[in-house]
Amino acid sequence: MAPSRLKGIQALLARTSLSERPVLRWVFAVAAFVVAFAIRYELDEQLPIGFPYLSFFPAVIITAFLAGIGPGVLVALAGGVASWYFFIPPFDSFVLTGGSVLALGFYVFIVTVDIVLIYWMQLALQRVTIEKEAASRYAGERDLLFQEMQHRVSNNLGVVSALLNAQSRGTTNPEATAVLQQASARIGLISKIQRQLHDPGKQTLDMGPYLAQLGPDLLEASGVEGVRYEVDVETVELSADMAVPIGLIATELISNSIEHGRVPGRAGSIRVTLGRDGVGKEGEGVPVFLRVADDGPGWPAGFSPASSRNLGMRIVVSLTQQVGGRLDISNQDGAVSTLRFVSQSAPELAGHAA
């Protein structure tokens, strides 16, 4: 049976079942028999001999379906007795003849089959309902445990980030302070992504709004003023496995532009672009590019991220390899970094969001 049809039958039973109203069940059975008998009695002169149970068959089926097996059996017995007495020759008697035995046997067989089939169907629907309730309960418990786990992970990461930040304030060595603050920021970023993945039914992160907020957060944390942050992003849904490394790469590239992408004496700007990078092959995900550009002095001549001793750039190179991407750098009125990768979640990339 198709799931949609099964749900429809369950809904119908839920609306019409009289199983929780014992008195009304039997009242319904008596009423069904009276109506069936009245219809058959009124049609007696119009019907040829041979249809004694015409109105009782549907009465038995409807009663068993709506009021239960017991009331259905009652209507079947009463209908059989009434038909035997009033509508099977010799009329107005309980005399058994070969024809009446055959007719009664046929009636008993049909109503028994009908009642048994309805009984089996109701048992099957009850089992399905019980299993559905159990599955729903287990799913709710799973979702609760998942959200609790995500919440604890993000809280623990937040605690680690706060401890590193506190340690950096108690360190007099400028290099150590910078390293601890960077580590704190990176762990804080992972914690923030974890909080956005609390919903187990939607294990993806839209990078557009995330990138739009990332720049202002980093600028505020660095204390740098006079830098304009712009984003031009498409809707890109990334899986949790990809959202964390891509978010860390974006953080390092934006942080690098904040630190090195300004010319003394004038305001600077950082522009982040995210979108589709051409058309990918069917079944292989969507090619995506992430570009971070500033209007500063640009990359030094001969600079290579792969050979850089800077921790942030080494992290970028490592994470780029992790996601199977490619990082290109160039100078175009400032430093430009372009990460190209394939989104394995095959997202829908839609219109722009600022």
Side-chain angles (χ1 to χ4, degrees), residues 64 106 114 135 143 210 214-216 247 249 266 314 327 334 353:
F106 173 78
D114 289 341
D143 292 349
Y210 174 77
L214 178 60
I249 291 173
R266 67 176 174 85
R314 288 162 60 188
L327 179 67

Side-chain angles (χ1 to χ4, degrees), residues 315-354:
I315 290 175
V316 169
V317 171
S318 176
L319 293 176
T320 298
Q321 294 173 349
Q322 177 181 323
V323 300
R326 188 180 84 244
L327 179 67
D328 299 319
I329 63 170
S330 61
N331 287 319
Q332 300 174 15
D333 299 326
V336 179
S337 306
T338 304
L339 171 69
R340 290 182 168 85
F341 63 98
V342 176
S343 170
Q344 300 302 324
S345 59
E348 291 292 331
L349 301 181
H352 290 261

Side-chain angles (χ1 to χ4, degrees), residues 74-293:
L74 174 64
V75 174
L77 291 174
V81 172
S83 297
W84 180 11
Y85 186 83
F86 290 103
F87 309 121
I88 297 178
F91 301 113
D92 301 326
S93 72
F94 290 114
V95 176
L96 287 174
T97 64
S100 61
V101 170
L102 181 62
L104 286 172
F106 173 78
Y107 174 77
V108 170
F109 173 77
I110 295 298
V111 296
T112 300
V113 170
D114 289 341
I115 291 174
V116 169
L117 288 177
I118 292 173
Y119 175 70
W120 285 347
M121 183 193 70
Q122 290 178 342
L123 282 181
L125 289 175
Q126 288 175 2
R127 284 196 292 268
V128 169
T129 300
I130 293 173
E131 292 173 359
K132 184 178 179 182
E133 291 175 352
S136 177
R137 185 171 62 254
Y138 295 149
E141 293 173 355
R142 179 206 64 190
D143 292 349
L144 181 61
L145 288 174
F146 181 89
Q147 292 181 3
E148 179 63 21
M149 181 190 69
Q150 292 282 69
H151 182 68
R152 292 197 177 196
V153 168
S154 60
N155 279 354
N156 290 339
L157 290 172
V159 170
V160 173
S161 176
L163 289 174
L164 289 174
N165 194 39
Q167 186 64 40
S168 70
R169 291 195 296 269
T171 303
T172 57
N173 188 314
E175 278 190 29
T177 300
V179 169
L180 289 172
Q181 287 179 343
Q182 290 175 3
S184 174
R186 289 170 185 133
I187 294 175
L189 167 68
I190 298 175
S191 174
K192 184 176 181 180
I193 293 177
Q194 285 290 127
R195 286 192 180 93
Q196 297 183 41
L197 296 174
H198 277 185
D199 183 3
K202 188 177 184 297
Q203 278 300 285
T204 60
L205 178 66
D206 184 359
M207 295 302 293
Y210 174 77
L211 290 174
Q213 185 59 40
L214 178 60
D217 288 346
L218 293 174
L219 286 168
E220 181 180 357
S222 66
V224 173
E225 299 179 352
V227 176
R228 186 175 68 256
Y229 181 76
E230 301 175 353
V231 290
D232 181 14
V233 297
E234 297 180 40
T235 301
V236 179
E237 294 277 350
L238 296 182
S239 66
D241 291 338
M242 293 198 71
V244 171
I246 297 301
L248 286 171
I249 291 173
T251 299
E252 296 299 339
L253 294 177
I254 295 171
S255 297
N256 184 76
S257 291
I258 292 174
E259 184 176 356
H260 303 291
R262 291 177 296 139
V263 175
R266 67 176 174 85
S269 68
I270 299 173
R271 183 175 181 82
V272 176
T273 309
L274 178 73
R276 187 189 296 270
D277 189 21
V279 179
K281 296 181 180 179
E282 185 176 355
E284 295 187 5
V286 175
V288 179
F289 75 92
L290 168 67
R291 180 174 294 119
V292 178

